[in-house]
Amino acid sequence: LADLARTQGGCVSLDQAGIAGVAPWVWQRAVRAGLLERPHPRVLRFTGTAADELSGVWASVLEMGSSARASHEAALWLHRVPRVPLVAAVSVPPGGSHLHAGIRVHRFCDLILEHLVVVRGVPTTTLARAVVDMASVYRSARLAELVDRLTISTRATTVGAIVRASRQVNRRGRRGIGNLARVL
């Protein structure tokens, strides 16, 4: 379990602990002894590991289940986009609970395999897809500044990549997609 936690910011989910053969009474005793802590109800973190931003992103993703992906601001943070505050934002498939303290949960029905990557060990979305997702969160001016910074200043992605990702997920009722089209 400790080997797995090393690759996940010091965190493991309760499901992973069960698969590894750790009985609930064992991890409960470890929590009482101070060897483990519970940053979220379904996540354990070894107390000897740093409770830093990466660990927090891992804990949020693990809390939401195996199909969850860091998205929106968390994806931008993982891609090391400057001047974007870290928000624990996770995208999950439709269904299930979306109310989790400290985690902003988004539901996706259009996450394409091409949009999935692993950055700094965390399952997340591509930079272009993160920009498309941010259109539902940012207003026009801030979104335009983000697109300019990523495509012109740092050349981290291209307008073409953002347009392609946008077209792949464009559907009626998707928040911010018109706003993104105007910015692009």
Side-chain angles (χ1 to χ4, degrees):
L1 202 58
D3 289 339
L4 178 60
R6 268 196 259 341
T7 66
Q8 299 179 163
C11 300
V12 292
S13 70
L14 293 182
D15 292 339
Q16 291 172 329
I19 290 169
V22 178
W25 68 268
V26 173
W27 62 258
Q28 289 168 354
R29 182 177 284 173
V31 169
R32 284 193 300 275
L35 299 172
L36 296 171
E37 60 185 0
R38 295 181 74 182
H40 295 292
R42 298 181 53 221
V43 177
L44 302 168
R45 178 173 32 230
F46 283 83
T47 54
T49 60
D52 58 6
E53 292 90 352
L54 184 59
S55 176
V57 171
W58 260 116
S60 299
V61 170
L62 291 170
E63 173 66 16
M64 299 309 300
S66 61
S67 58
R69 299 286 182 260
S71 64
H72 296 71
E73 293 96 338
L76 294 175
W77 182 85
L78 286 167
H79 285 283
R80 291 187 164 94
V81 174
R83 298 192 313 267
V84 175
L86 176 60
V87 174
V90 177
S91 289
V92 297
S97 176
H98 66 281
L99 301 175
H100 290 275
I103 304 172
R104 191 175 72 215
V105 180
H106 298 271
R107 293 201 173 124
F108 64 80
C109 58
D110 55 8
L111 204 53
I112 299 168
L113 191 58
E114 178 182 329
H115 297 170
L116 303 178
V117 294
V118 174
V119 178
R120 297 163 68 181
V122 182
T124 188
T125 57
T126 63
L127 189 53
R129 175 59 190 259
V131 172
V132 172
D133 291 339
M134 289 306 294
S136 68
V137 179
Y138 280 0
R139 296 180 192 261
S140 293
R142 193 165 183 196
L143 185 62
E145 188 274 330
L146 177 67
V147 169
D148 285 349
R149 186 170 359 124
L150 293 176
T151 60
I152 297 169
S153 301
T154 64
R155 297 177 189 238
T157 190
T158 64
V159 171
I162 298 169
V163 168
R164 187 171 37 260
S166 174
R167 286 185 179 155
Q168 290 172 327
V169 299
N170 190 357
R171 63 173 163 47
R172 185 179 180 92
R174 184 175 175 90
R175 279 186 58 180
I177 205 76
N179 188 24
L180 178 61
R182 283 186 296 280
V183 165
L184 292 172

